[in-house]
């Protein structure tokens, strides 16, 4: 007898046909796929056959299913054994009646280990029968875990909702401020354009318009110049006469004669003489300017044989045009231009400052703060905890410190991980860096720290930031059996 037939005979002797359990079901196959394993019955002979699922041209005797020998290239004939090479797509189905069905990798079948996390009914060890059905106890643990998880999730999602409100308010505040700045910039630019336009219009005002209005006053000034000159000359003669008397007094008075009035007069006159040149210079300069203004007015004339050209005859009007353009207007416009230049420079500085501020706000709005900008809600917030003999400070979007040592500064967000780099340099090693993995929880709490590589730190941080509604499958995947209570 061949080895294959011997094994089949032993299995049949001990367990009967293992391909049929729970009535007509093939072990390892879920209920919705049982029809794939229905036998092909020859009504004349009663023989039962079956075709490989991956290659229907291969026909097997029905008792070759789950005979612990791999006959089909796709391994479909051995759903309840580990006889065929491992294929991650093929799983052993555990009914787990009273709990949640599971799918186990075939290579774990009958390996002597009770895989209760997946097969609480112990069907994965059907050959030895060593694993009792624990589905009732495990399901009760699962229900307790499920209730606690949902309560914690409700709290976590409630906290996350609060954080989202804060994040949205902060973003809205930035957007509002940005709009105000953009309006302010627009107004500043318009104001600057109007200033330039106004200055240009002022520069284009015809000289004739100015001096034609001022000429009556300048003509009166010219008439007064001569009278004032005569008065000044008269006053100068009188002053010279008095100065002569006082000079004679200084030269001829007897200093030994104790006359306080004379001494006081002598001292004051000496002070007067010492300051006389400066005072006289101011008066002389002013008078010279007026005299020059008057004389130059007589020189200004313009003659032309062309009748279409306006002729300016010698006189005060010509003088006004000449001197206003050459002196007064030049001085006034220089003053105005300096003031305008100062104002323009200040306006330009304000505009550039506004542009810089607007650029910063736009950059901030474009920055990755996670889904719905939720990280805005914790910006500049710190988590402090002492673990493994060190005090750790983790600043969201800021820095990480181990005591006073900088582990890293915030760089970017990658999924649920905050990346920090450019920390303090390790002795004889690289710069420190850190990865903060965020795990769903009702509050911010640092739960673990590791150093998988030298000076590269890994942190696990519980936070409501990454919490989302979880499906039954996700909850089940996180469920851990308490074996002490089985």
């Amino acid at each position: 007898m061949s080895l294959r037939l011997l094994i089949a005979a032993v299995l049949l002797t001990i367990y009967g046909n293992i391909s049929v359990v729970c009535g007509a079901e093939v072990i390892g196959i879920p209920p919705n796929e049982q029809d794939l394993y229905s036998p092909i019955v020859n009504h004349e002979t009663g023989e039962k056959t079956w075709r490989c699922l991956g290659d229907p041209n291969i026909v097997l005797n029905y008792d070759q299913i789950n005979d612990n020998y791999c006959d089909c290239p796709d391994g479909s004939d051995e759903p309840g054994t580990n006889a065929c090479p491992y294929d991650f797509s093929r799983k052993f189905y555990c009914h787990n009646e009273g709990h949640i069905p599971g799918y186990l990798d075939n290579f774990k079948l009958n390996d002597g280990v009770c895989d209760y996390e997946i097969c609480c009914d112990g069907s994965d060890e059907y050959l030895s029968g060593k694993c009792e059905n624990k589905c009732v106890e495990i399901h009760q643990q699962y229900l307790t875990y499920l209730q606690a998880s949902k309560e914690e999730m409700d709290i976590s999602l409630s906290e996350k909702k609060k954080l989202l409100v804060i994040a949205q308010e902060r973003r809205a505040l930035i957007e509002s401020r940005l709009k105000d700045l953009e309006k302010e910039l627009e107004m500043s630019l318009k104001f600057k354009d109007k200033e330039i336009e106004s200055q240009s219009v002022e520069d284009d005002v015809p000289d004739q318009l100015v001096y034609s209005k001022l000429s009556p006053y300048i003509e009166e000034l010219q008439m007064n110049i001569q009278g004032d000159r005569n008065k000044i000359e008269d006053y100068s003669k009188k002053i010279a006469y008095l100065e002569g008397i006082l000079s004679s007094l200084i030269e001829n008075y007897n200093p030994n004669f104790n006359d306080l009035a004379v001494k006081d007069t002598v001292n004051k006159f000496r002070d007067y003489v010492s300051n006389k040149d400066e005072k006289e210079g101011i008066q002389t300069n002013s008078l010279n300017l007026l005299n020059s203004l008057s004389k130059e007015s007589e020189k200004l004339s313009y003659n032309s044989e062309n009748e279409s050209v306006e002729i300016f005859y010698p006189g005060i009007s010509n003088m006004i045009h000449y001197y206003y353009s050459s002196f007064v207007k030049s001085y006034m416009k220089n003053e105005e231009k300096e003031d305008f230049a100062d104002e323009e420079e200040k306006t330009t500085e304000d505009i550039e400052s506004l542009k810089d501020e607007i650029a910063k706000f736009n950059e901030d709005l474009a920055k990755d703060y996670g889904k719905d900008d939720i990280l805005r809600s914790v910006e500049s917030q710190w988590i402090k905890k002492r673990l493994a003999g060190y005090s750790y400070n983790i600043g969201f979007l800021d820095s990480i410190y181990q005591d006073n040592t900088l582990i890293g500064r915030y760089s970017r967000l990658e999924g649920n991980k905050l990346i920090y780099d450019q920390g303090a340099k390790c002795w004889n090693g690289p710069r420190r860096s850190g990865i903060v993995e965020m795990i769903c929880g009702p509050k911010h709490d640092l739960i673990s720290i590791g150093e998988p590589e030298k000076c590269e730190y890994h942190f696990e941080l519980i936070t409501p930031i990454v919490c989302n509604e979880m499906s039954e499958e996700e909850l089940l995947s996180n469920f851990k059996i308490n074996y002490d209570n089985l």
Side-chain angles (χ1 to χ4, degrees):
M1 180 181 294
S2 68
L3 179 61
R4 174 184 171 183
L5 292 177
L6 178 62
I7 293 173
V10 171
L11 290 174
L12 285 171
T13 301
I14 299 175
Y15 300 104
N17 188 350
I18 63 172
S19 67
V20 181
V21 296
C22 301
E25 290 187 350
V26 176
I27 191 170
I29 299 299
N32 64 331
E33 294 181 10
Q34 285 292 328
D35 60 333
L36 298 175
Y37 286 83
S38 297
I40 302 170
V41 181
N42 186 324
H43 295 291
E44 294 181 358
T45 63
E47 182 183 13
K48 296 180 179 180
T49 59
W50 179 79
R51 298 178 184 276
C52 295
L53 299 180
D55 189 351
N57 292 322
I58 300 176
V59 181
L60 305 178
N61 291 327
Y62 193 67
D63 59 7
Q64 287 181 256
I65 297 175
N66 283 334
D67 66 349
N68 205 36
Y69 191 89
C70 195
D71 296 292
C72 296
D74 63 349
S76 58
D77 63 311
E78 297 296 318
T81 75
N82 57 10
C84 295
Y86 173 68
D87 183 347
F88 71 91
S89 65
R90 289 201 320 271
K91 305 285 184 181
F92 178 84
Y93 177 77
C94 305
H95 285 271
N96 294 341
E97 188 173 353
H99 186 44
I100 299 171
Y103 289 86
L104 184 73
D105 290 315
N106 289 57
F107 70 84
K108 293 182 179 181
L109 292 172
N110 299 306
D111 61 354
V113 178
C114 299
D115 295 294
Y116 282 131
E117 292 84 359
I118 298 174
C119 295
C120 64
D121 58 3
S123 60
D124 58 310
E125 299 296 320
Y126 61 83
L127 285 181
S128 66
K130 63 173 288 186
C131 297
E132 299 179 31
N133 188 329
K134 296 289 185 179
C135 285
V136 173
E137 297 92 327
I138 290 174
H139 189 67
Q140 186 58 50
Q141 287 187 19
Y142 176 71
L143 292 177
T144 302
Y145 153 79
L146 199 62
Q147 182 178 356
S149 296
K150 288 185 175 180
E151 289 176 355
E152 185 176 273
M153 181 59 65
D154 288 342
I155 296 173
S156 300
L157 292 176
S158 176
E159 291 300 314
K160 181 179 181 179
K161 187 176 181 180
K162 294 176 184 177
L163 294 178
L164 286 171
V165 171
I166 295 173
Q168 291 165 3
E169 288 176 347
R170 290 183 176 179
R171 183 178 180 90
L173 186 63
I174 293 173
E175 290 174 337
S176 175
R177 177 58 179 154
L178 180 60
K179 287 181 180 178
D180 291 341
L181 289 171
E182 289 173 341
K183 288 181 181 178
E184 189 175 347
L185 176 61
E186 183 181 0
M187 293 177 64
S188 296
L189 290 172
K190 287 182 179 179
F191 177 73
K192 183 179 180 181
D193 290 341
K194 286 182 179 180
E195 277 188 326
I196 295 172
E197 183 181 351
S198 174
Q199 183 67 20
S200 177
V201 170
E202 289 176 4
D203 289 342
D204 292 338
V205 174
D207 295 339
Q208 291 84 352
L209 180 61
V210 178
Y211 71 72
S212 65
K213 292 187 181 227
L214 293 178
S215 60
Y217 301 99
I218 302 300
E219 288 175 354
E220 184 179 353
L221 174 62
Q222 186 185 32
M223 293 173 62
N224 291 333
I225 286 175
Q226 188 59 44
D228 290 341
R229 182 188 294 118
N230 295 335
K231 289 181 181 179
I232 291 173
E233 289 178 355
D234 186 44
Y235 292 149
S236 297
K237 290 178 181 179
K238 292 179 179 179
I239 291 172
Y241 175 73
L242 293 174
E243 288 177 348
I245 294 174
L246 291 173
S247 295
S248 177
L249 176 63
I250 291 174
E251 293 176 359
N252 300 318
Y253 92 104
N254 185 358
N256 297 321
F257 187 73
N258 192 20
D259 190 330
L260 296 179
V262 173
K263 288 183 177 181
D264 184 56
T265 300
V266 169
N267 291 332
K268 288 181 177 179
F269 183 66
R270 284 174 175 167
D271 291 338
Y272 164 79
V273 171
S274 63
N275 296 317
K276 176 183 174 182
D277 292 340
E278 181 181 351
K279 294 177 181 178
E280 227 176 26
I282 294 174
Q283 293 176 352
T284 301
N285 291 337
S286 300
L287 183 59
N288 288 341
L289 177 59
L290 291 174
N291 287 335
S292 298
L293 196 61
S294 177
K295 291 177 181 178
E296 288 296 321
S297 68
E298 299 175 358
K299 297 179 182 179
L300 297 175
S301 65
Y302 180 85
N303 295 303
S304 174
E305 296 178 356
N306 189 342
E307 294 181 357
S308 63
V309 179
E310 184 178 1
I311 299 175
F312 295 95
Y313 295 99
I316 193 63
S317 296
N318 298 344
M319 179 274 294
I320 293 293
H321 179 264
Y322 180 79
Y323 274 100
Y324 179 78
S325 299
S326 301
F327 298 103
V328 180
K329 183 178 178 181
S330 175
Y331 173 78
M332 293 298 293
K333 285 198 174 293
N334 285 337
E335 288 290 317
E336 290 173 359
K337 286 180 179 178
E338 287 181 6
D339 292 341
F340 175 75
D342 292 340
E343 287 296 324
E344 185 179 23
E345 183 178 357
K346 184 178 183 301
T347 302
T348 301
E349 290 177 356
D350 292 341
I351 288 174
E352 291 304 315
S353 177
L354 284 171
K355 287 181 178 179
D356 289 342
E357 199 168 355
I358 287 172
K360 289 178 182 178
F361 278 119
N362 279 323
E363 182 181 355
D364 182 78
L365 290 175
K367 189 176 178 181
D368 185 8
Y369 283 92
K371 186 179 179 182
D372 299 320
D373 269 8
I374 191 169
L375 287 174
R376 288 187 186 278
S377 63
V378 292
E379 191 172 15
S380 300
Q381 187 172 341
W382 290 78
I383 308 300
K384 300 180 180 180
K385 193 165 185 178
R386 187 170 182 82
L387 287 175
Y390 295 97
S391 293
Y392 291 91
N393 286 345
I394 298 179
F396 284 104
L397 312 185
D398 197 313
S399 309
I400 299 177
Y401 286 90
Q402 180 190 66
D403 292 331
N404 294 323
T405 301
L406 176 65
I407 289 180
R409 302 191 185 281
Y410 177 73
S411 172
R412 62 193 179 278
L413 173 68
E414 292 183 358
N416 287 347
K417 296 178 181 179
L418 302 173
I419 310 300
Y420 296 76
D421 53 26
Q422 297 301 310
K425 194 175 187 302
C426 282
W427 183 84
N428 198 27
R431 285 187 175 276
R432 291 174 172 83
S433 62
I435 296 175
V436 177
E437 183 176 0
M438 296 182 286
I439 302 170
C440 176
K443 63 179 181 179
H444 308 309
D445 187 25
L446 181 62
I447 59 172
S448 73
I449 300 167
E451 191 177 354
E453 299 290 338
K454 184 177 181 179
C455 300
E456 295 180 6
Y457 300 83
H458 184 271
F459 302 85
E460 288 187 334
L461 180 69
I462 291 177
T463 171
I465 289 174
V466 294
C467 289
N468 294 296
E469 290 283 359
M470 296 182 69
S471 65
E472 289 286 339
E473 291 76 13
E474 290 173 318
L475 287 169
L476 181 61
S477 66
N478 292 330
F479 170 61
K480 304 297 180 185
I481 298 173
N482 186 345
Y483 285 93
D484 293 336
N485 294 334
L486 290 183

